[in-house]
Amino acid sequence: MLLAIDCGNTNTVFSIWDGSRFLATWRIATDHRRTADEYFVWLSSLMAIRKVEAEITEAIISSTVPRVVFNLRVLCDRYFNCRPLVVGKPDCRLPVAPRVDQGTTVGPDRLVNTVAGFARHGGDLIVVDFGTATTFDVVDSDGAYVGGVIAPGVNLSLEALHMAAAALPHIDVARPARAIGTNTVACMQSGVYWGYVGLVEGIVREIRRERERPTKVIATGGLASLFAQGTELFHQIEDDLTMHGLVLINAYNKENP
C-alpha cells in the first residue's frame, strides 16, 4: 500500500491508499524538529485506533518545508523499508514538465495540484488553493504548470492584522451576515471575507484576460468551501486534490521507471 504525505507550512497530512481508495487520513502540525521515531509512534497509534491494517510498501512525499523531508525519509526507510519519492527531486518524474522561467523552482504542492487538477478536469484550468498562502496555479491545455499567483493566506492576514493593530482582536474566519459590520468583529470578518472573495475574483479575471481562452476554476484547501459560499466562480470544490495528485504521480513513476 502507498503512504502519501503532504507537508505544508501549517499541517502535515498522511493518507494510506490501498490501490482504489484512501483507507484513512490524519493530520499533524508541521514541525521540523519531529523525529522519524515520533512520526512512527504517532502514526502507528492512530492506525491501531482506527483498526487500519495496512502493509505499507511504497511512499511519496510533497513538502513545502524542506527541513522536514529528512526525517520523513528516515520514517519510510526505517519503519516501512521503502525509499519514498519526493516531488520536486530529479528522480520524481511528472507527466508533463512545468513551463516556467529557467532556474525557477516550483513548489511541490503546486505541481501535485496541477497533476490532479488536469486528471480530473482537463486543461485550461486554474487551481485556487486556500492554504497558508492563497495560490493560483494555471494549468495549460496539455496539463503543464505554466505559472500562477501567490497571495497571503487568509489566516496569515488575520494574524498580521491582529498583531499590527493592538485594538483589534483575533477572530475566526466566517461569512458575515451583512457587509456593513456594526461591531469590531463583524467589521473585521466582513473585510477579510469579502476582501478575499474580491481578491480571488480579481486575480482570476486577470488570468483569464491574459490567457484569452475559456478557463475553468476549481478550489481546494481548508477554507475553499467557506469562500465558495460568497462567489459563483468555482466550478468545483476538491477536498482531496493534493492526495489524489500524489497517488497519480506515484503511479506514473512506477509505470515509467
Side-chain angles (χ1 to χ4, degrees):
M1 294 186 186
L2 173 67
L3 175 63
I5 305 173
D6 172 34
C7 177
N9 290 294
T10 304
N11 293 311
T12 301
V13 182
F14 291 71
S15 288
I16 297 176
W17 174 259
D18 71 353
S20 59
R21 65 187 180 96
F22 288 110
L23 296 180
T25 297
W26 300 282
R27 291 176 180 270
I28 191 170
T30 299
D31 184 351
H32 70 272
R33 297 167 299 181
R34 187 171 287 114
T35 67
D37 301 328
E38 289 175 305
Y39 279 121
F40 180 72
V41 169
W42 170 81
L43 184 60
S44 59
S45 297
L46 289 174
M47 290 174 66
I49 291 171
R50 289 279 297 273
K51 297 181 180 178
V52 175
E53 297 181 3
E55 183 181 351
I56 294 169
T57 57
E58 50 191 334
I60 184 168
I61 300 167
S62 168
S63 177
T64 59
V65 186
R67 294 176 71 184
V68 307
V69 173
F70 174 77
N71 282 319
L72 291 174
R73 282 182 181 270
V74 174
L75 166 72
C76 298
D77 179 63
R78 179 179 298 167
Y79 291 105
F80 303 122
N81 196 31
C82 65
R83 183 173 183 270
L85 280 172
V86 180
V87 179
K89 298 297 183 183
D91 61 341
C92 183
R93 292 172 295 279
L94 300 172
V96 183
R99 291 194 287 270
V100 293
D101 294 343
Q102 187 173 2
T104 299
T105 299
V106 182
D109 55 331
R110 308 184 79 177
L111 297 174
V112 172
N113 284 348
T114 294
V115 171
F118 180 71
R120 288 186 168 178
H121 302 280
D124 294 324
L125 180 71
I126 301 170
V127 180
V128 183
D129 189 346
F130 292 90
T132 304
T134 301
T135 60
F136 300 72
D137 303 324
V138 181
V139 185
D140 211 347
S141 56
D142 63 348
Y145 172 86
V146 292
V149 177
I150 302 174
V154 180
N155 286 313
L156 189 63
S157 295
L158 274 175
E159 189 65 27
L161 187 63
H162 167 62
M163 293 181 68
L168 297 180
H170 181 79
I171 65 170
D172 293 326
V173 184
R175 181 179 180 178
R178 302 172 66 241
I180 301 174
T182 54
N183 57 68
T184 301
V185 170
C187 288
M188 292 175 66
Q189 286 179 332
S190 183
V192 170
Y193 186 84
W194 294 115
Y196 266 86
V197 168
L199 178 145
V200 171
E201 290 180 339
I203 290 176
V204 167
R205 181 178 63 248
E206 288 303 304
I207 292 173
R208 283 174 163 169
R209 183 182 63 80
E210 291 183 11
R211 297 285 289 168
E212 297 181 332
R213 66 185 75 175
T215 307
K216 299 184 290 289
V217 184
I218 63 172
T220 189
L223 295 174
S225 58
L226 174 64
F227 282 95
Q229 298 172 20
T231 179
E232 297 180 356
L233 183 67
F234 303 127
H235 291 78
Q236 193 162 333
I237 306 300
E238 295 278 9
D239 294 327
D240 64 344
L241 190 69
T242 304
M243 285 301 168
H244 181 64
L246 287 173
V247 170
L248 291 174
I249 292 172
N250 185 72
Y252 179 80
N253 280 266
K254 286 175 64 177
E255 294 166 3
N256 300 272

